[in-house]
């Protein structure tokens, strides 16, 4: 990514049959996400999106798609370039957590995803977390809330992150969709002791993101595994995108 568009387009034309080629991109959204309260930079976040859309324009593949957060700058860019897009929630595609994303791309893909809107949830945490039994005892909580923490440094107020959740705050029982899976693991709240029992494991975060039960990452670090899972396009949503791209 980031290579000169014309040179990369020539290489792809030489290697692939464009009549069957589907391009997908999930440019890093950290600089655009409202979750990022410290290094958010919309201009920097748009650069790879613009590069990818330039590549699509030059290459003209059979179909293309892109996942991104619905930042106002992204919406403005897509409107200005006439790129179709749809807002989706992963809940509608068999994912047991709420994850709202913008999917842009070919008209057929956007229309296929629009038809699925409002059809979920069909899978819930109680279905995929056998490690949490009895289900009535536990709630799932986010690690942090969306309330920014501000401090004054050299007379200037700056944002340093988010306020940590209090034990049980905004907890969701296992019969409700879980919070969005982030790069930091959620927490398991024990209703009997009224305390946070433990963090979610990477394996538990993976199934809440839509990965198959028992799926493992080739990562030795739990923190790194959690980051990869949090950044992933939920597999059931990815499957829906590619099924729409492959449809005649």
């Amino acid at each position: 990514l980031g290579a000169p568009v014309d040179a990369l387009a020539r290489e792809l034309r030489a290697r692939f049959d464009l009549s069957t080629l589907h391009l997908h991109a999930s440019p890093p959204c950290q600089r655009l996400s409202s979750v990022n309260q410290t290094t958010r930079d919309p201009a920097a976040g748009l650069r790879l999106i613009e590069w990818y859309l330039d590549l699509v324009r030059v290459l003209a593949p059979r179909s293309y798609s892109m996942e991104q957060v619905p930042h106002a700058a992204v919406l403005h860019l897509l409107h200005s370039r006439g790129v179709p897009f749809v807002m989706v929630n992963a809940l509608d595609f068999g994912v047991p957590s709420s994850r709202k994303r913008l999917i842009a791309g070919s008209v057929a893909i956007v229309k296929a995803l629009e038809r699925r809107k409002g059809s979920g949830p069909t899978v819930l945490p109680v279905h995929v977390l056998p490690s949490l039994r009895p289900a009535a005892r536990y709630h799932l909580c986010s690690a942090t809330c969306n309330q920014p923490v501000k401090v004054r440094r050299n007379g200037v107020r700056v944002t340093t992150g988010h306020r940590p959740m209090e034990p049980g705050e905004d907890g969701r029982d296992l019969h409700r969709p879980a919070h969005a899976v982030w790069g930091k693991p959620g927490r398991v709240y024990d209703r009997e002791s009224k305390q946070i029992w433990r963090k979610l494991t990477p394996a538990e975060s993976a199934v809440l993101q839509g990965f198959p039960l028992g799926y493992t990452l080739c990562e030795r670090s739990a923190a790194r595994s959690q980051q990869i899972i949090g950044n992933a396009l939920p597999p059931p949503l990815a499957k829906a995108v590619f099924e729409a791209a492959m449809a005649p």
Side-chain angles (χ1 to χ4, degrees), residues 9 46-47 53 58 98 124 127 131 134 143 161 164 168 170 180 199-200 207 232 236:
L46 286 177
R47 289 188 191 118
L53 295 178
V58 172
S98 178
L124 295 168
H127 301 141
S131 54
D170 197 23
K199 297 178 182 179
L200 287 170
V207 297

Side-chain angles (χ1 to χ4, degrees), residues 118-189:
S119 61
T122 56
V123 180
L124 295 168
V126 69
H127 301 141
V128 298
L129 291 178
S131 54
L132 298 181
R133 295 287 186 271
R137 179 173 177 174
Y138 302 108
H139 280 184
L140 301 179
C141 306
S142 292
T144 58
C145 67
N146 285 330
Q147 181 181 344
V149 174
K150 294 184 179 292
V151 298
R152 189 171 294 278
R153 293 177 179 171
N154 299 322
V156 178
R157 286 174 59 82
V158 297
T159 301
T160 60
H162 296 84
R163 175 179 62 80
M165 287 283 196
E166 297 294 331
E169 183 181 354
D170 197 23
R172 297 184 180 181
D173 66 60
L174 302 184
H175 291 86
R176 295 175 59 199
H179 299 276
V181 178
W182 291 1
K184 293 183 179 180
R187 305 290 195 266
V188 182
Y189 176 75

Side-chain angles (χ1 to χ4, degrees), residues 25 29 45 47-48 80-81 112 120 128 130 145 182-183 200 219 241:
C29 64
R47 289 188 191 118
L48 268 182
S80 67
R81 295 204 180 196
V128 298
C145 67
W182 291 1
L200 287 170
E219 294 289 338
V241 170

Side-chain angles (χ1 to χ4, degrees), residues 7-245:
L8 181 57
R10 286 195 298 270
E11 179 181 347
L12 291 174
R13 288 193 190 99
R15 296 178 59 184
F16 299 102
D17 178 359
L18 296 187
S19 66
T20 62
L21 182 64
H22 175 80
L23 285 184
H24 176 81
S26 292
C29 64
Q30 287 86 348
R31 295 298 182 91
L32 294 161
S33 175
S34 61
V35 174
N36 181 3
Q37 295 289 335
T38 54
T39 60
R40 186 165 43 184
D41 184 348
L46 286 177
R47 289 188 191 118
L48 268 182
I49 298 175
E50 293 174 326
W51 175 90
Y52 175 67
L53 295 178
D54 287 343
L55 177 63
V56 168
R57 176 180 52 79
V58 172
L59 190 62
R62 179 180 184 271
S63 60
Y64 73 100
S65 56
M66 180 185 72
E67 175 216 11
Q68 197 43 246
V69 295
H71 189 282
V74 177
L75 300 179
H76 177 76
L77 175 63
L78 296 178
H79 278 300
S80 67
R81 295 204 180 196
V83 176
F85 66 89
V86 60
M87 295 298 306
V88 300
N89 194 324
L91 288 173
D92 294 331
F93 300 87
V95 179
S97 60
S98 178
R99 188 179 183 89
K100 297 178 182 179
R101 283 293 184 270
L102 178 152
I103 304 293
S106 301
V107 173
I109 294 173
V110 169
K111 288 184 175 180
L113 298 184
E114 283 181 334
R115 289 193 290 269
R116 296 282 294 273
K117 292 180 70 172
S119 61
T122 56
V123 180
L124 295 168
V126 69
H127 301 141
V128 298
L129 291 178
S131 54
L132 298 181
R133 295 287 186 271
R137 179 173 177 174
Y138 302 108
H139 280 184
L140 301 179
C141 306
S142 292
T144 58
C145 67
N146 285 330
Q147 181 181 344
V149 174
K150 294 184 179 292
V151 298
R152 189 171 294 278
R153 293 177 179 171
N154 299 322
V156 178
R157 286 174 59 82
V158 297
T159 301
T160 60
H162 296 84
R163 175 179 62 80
M165 287 283 196
E166 297 294 331
E169 183 181 354
D170 197 23
R172 297 184 180 181
D173 66 60
L174 302 184
H175 291 86
R176 295 175 59 199
H179 299 276
V181 178
W182 291 1
K184 293 183 179 180
R187 305 290 195 266
V188 182
Y189 176 75
D190 186 333
R191 298 181 66 198
E192 290 188 6
S193 66
K194 297 183 179 180
Q195 295 293 327
I196 296 297
W197 177 36
R198 61 172 174 81
K199 297 178 182 179
L200 287 170
T201 67
E204 290 168 335
S205 294
V207 297
L208 291 178
Q209 188 73 307
F211 286 87
L213 189 64
Y215 184 89
T216 56
L217 292 167
C218 298
E219 294 289 338
R220 296 182 180 180
S221 164
R224 178 59 177 157
S225 292
Q226 179 69 38
Q227 185 180 40
I228 292 173
I229 293 164
N231 287 336
L233 176 63
L237 177 54
K239 180 182 178 184
V241 170
F242 286 107
E243 284 179 343

